[in-house]
Amino acid sequence: MKIPHGLTRKGESKVFRLNKSLYGLKQASRQWFAKLSSVLLAEGFTKSLCDNSLFIYHRGSTSIFVLVYVDDIIITGTDDNFICSLKSRFASNFSIKDLGRLQYFLGIEVSRSPKGIFLCQRKYVLDILKDSGLTGARVSSFPMDTHIKLLPTDGKDLTDPISFRRLIGRLLYLTVTRPDITYAVNYLSQFMQHPRTNHLDASHRVLHYLKGTIGHGIFLSSSSVLSLHGYTDSNWAGCPITRRSTTGYFVSIGFSPISWKSKKQPTVARSSAEAEYRSMDNLTAELQWLRYLFKDLHIPCPLPITISCDNEAAIHIAQNPVFHERTKHIEIDCYFAKISPIF
């Protein structure tokens, strides 16, 4: 920012004193969140230790939850009168717009029924297909060939690499409600630095799959048992370039999916058991965080939490506290999985 012409004098240096944070400044977002937090804390809310954007209110049989994303807020709870009074307090401190019953939030469509809640991103998928020019493309039955091996040197350089990066970025956000494309999108995101024609063709295969599954999403059943269960797997040395393995896990509460991830491991695993055990270790950390979140929400979490793994050697390592030459280099992972309170 520069001082307007005519207000400066030789040898003087002046600055502006801001009465409030201007939109776009680095400090503006923090000042806004600090102001919002002060209002909620004054109403008796407490900030969750697991998620700074989650505020919780518990008094007797009344439970209110406020989830904040920048200036978009979701309020839910057991007392409608308290929620109405909270909205009035917000209106007295901020300029707000009450959108009523939750139907659309950050590109996620919310549908309710007596059986549960359905989350999908149908409109978001249609926008991606329209921007990519593939609204009339043929339908594929799966997002990626299981035996495909992409290399950084495959194909020719793209004339417009920004379009590929934009597409992968939009697909990454789509994985919020589409665990079925998580692995494919994670795999393609590894070539964003120097994308080539083969990488673009593989990303278009994902779009062909989305064309036939536009309405797919996540169903959160109202009759699910409040018990966590985790599934984990890995492909040992799956990357043909670095020979690193890929971790994949999936967490459900009852029959409802709530968390999933696919990520390349940071180091090279010397055996399939090591790769599987590191996947189990990542899942253990996720389940531990979810258990803390359940505790903040005052939701009972039955113990022990079961983890499903298809590698017998990794299971034996988790059950046997004795370390030997083959496992001493992953001793930290072994200790973390053993002392975690979820088992």
Side-chain angles (χ1 to χ4, degrees):
M1 180 180 291
K2 295 182 179 180
I3 300 178
H5 181 70
L7 295 181
T8 58
R9 295 179 182 178
K10 187 175 181 180
E12 284 187 349
S13 60
K14 297 182 178 181
V15 295
F16 290 100
R17 181 177 181 179
L18 298 178
N19 294 323
K20 63 178 182 180
S21 297
L22 296 177
Y23 183 82
L25 294 180
K26 293 182 179 180
Q27 299 85 356
S29 57
R30 185 168 66 176
Q31 293 297 326
W32 151 251
F33 187 75
K35 174 63 176 178
L36 180 64
S37 300
S38 64
V39 173
L40 288 171
L41 294 177
E43 293 295 326
F45 282 81
T46 58
K47 188 182 296 185
S48 172
L49 298 177
C50 301
D51 190 343
N52 286 329
S53 61
L54 176 63
F55 295 85
I56 304 169
Y57 177 91
H58 284 296
R59 292 292 186 278
S61 61
T62 301
S63 297
I64 306 295
F65 309 101
V66 177
L67 184 64
V68 181
Y69 184 85
V70 190
D71 57 352
D72 295 311
I73 303 174
I74 297 178
I75 305 175
T76 185
T78 59
D79 191 339
D80 292 337
N81 294 329
F82 188 94
I83 293 177
C84 292
S85 64
L86 181 61
K87 291 180 181 179
S88 300
R89 296 294 180 90
F90 277 154
S92 62
N93 289 276
F94 312 103
S95 176
I96 67 171
K97 183 178 181 182
D98 187 1
L99 300 179
R101 192 181 180 92
L102 180 63
Q103 296 180 343
Y104 196 80
F105 184 75
L106 301 177
I108 302 175
E109 303 173 31
V110 182
S111 303
R112 292 180 180 84
S113 71
K115 295 182 179 180
I117 299 176
F118 181 70
L119 307 177
C120 72
Q121 293 172 277
R122 184 177 182 277
K123 184 179 181 300
Y124 188 72
V125 174
L126 291 174
D127 291 340
I128 295 176
L129 293 173
K130 182 178 179 181
D131 293 344
S132 303
L134 296 175
T135 53
R138 60 182 178 83
V139 175
S140 175
S141 57
F142 46 88
M144 178 176 285
D145 190 352
T146 56
H147 302 290
I148 190 172
K149 297 293 183 182
L150 296 176
L151 298 173
T153 57
D154 286 346
K156 300 179 181 179
D157 289 334
L158 294 177
T159 57
D160 184 18
I162 296 178
S163 60
F164 175 83
R165 295 165 186 157
R166 185 187 303 114
L167 173 61
I168 299 301
R170 302 183 74 176
L171 290 176
L172 283 171
Y173 184 66
L174 184 59
T175 58
V176 173
T177 60
R178 296 295 298 268
D180 50 340
I181 65 170
T182 302
Y183 172 75
V185 176
N186 170 262
Y187 190 34
L188 292 171
S189 65
Q190 301 173 21
F191 305 99
M192 294 180 68
Q193 185 174 4
H194 296 293
R196 291 175 173 262
T197 53
N198 285 18
H199 309 146
L200 182 62
D201 293 340
S203 64
H204 285 171
R205 178 63 175 269
V206 178
L207 296 181
H208 290 177
Y209 171 75
L210 294 175
K211 175 66 165 45
T213 58
I214 293 177
H216 285 199
I218 300 173
F219 180 71
L220 304 175
S221 176
S222 59
S223 59
S224 290
V225 180
L226 296 180
S227 61
L228 292 173
H229 191 92
Y231 305 85
T232 179
D233 199 1
S234 69
N235 64 336
W236 178 47
C239 179
I241 307 166
T242 62
R243 307 309 295 177
R244 287 191 287 171
S245 308
T246 299
T247 291
Y249 65 73
F250 179 88
V251 181
S252 65
I253 177 170
F255 298 103
S256 303
I258 59 173
S259 179
W260 50 87
K261 189 175 185 179
S262 175
K263 184 180 180 181
K264 186 186 292 186
Q265 295 182 1
T267 58
V268 178
R270 301 178 63 183
S271 66
S272 60
E274 180 181 338
E276 294 278 358
Y277 198 90
R278 282 181 173 155
S279 297
M280 191 186 303
D281 184 66
N282 292 332
L283 176 58
T284 301
E286 179 69 9
L287 289 172
Q288 192 175 33
W289 177 81
L290 287 172
R291 184 169 177 244
Y292 293 152
L293 181 62
F294 276 37
K295 184 178 180 180
D296 286 345
L297 298 177
H298 289 200
I299 298 176
C301 183
L303 296 177
I305 301 174
T306 57
I307 293 178
S308 297
C309 177
D310 62 353
N311 188 277
E312 292 186 1
I315 296 174
H316 292 161
I317 294 173
Q319 294 175 343
N320 184 10
V322 179
F323 296 98
H324 46 77
E325 292 296 327
R326 294 183 180 180
T327 59
K328 66 178 184 180
H329 60 290
I330 57 171
E331 186 175 356
I332 295 177
D333 292 331
C334 294
Y335 270 114
F336 178 79
K338 289 178 186 303
I339 67 174
S340 174
I342 66 172
F343 286 100

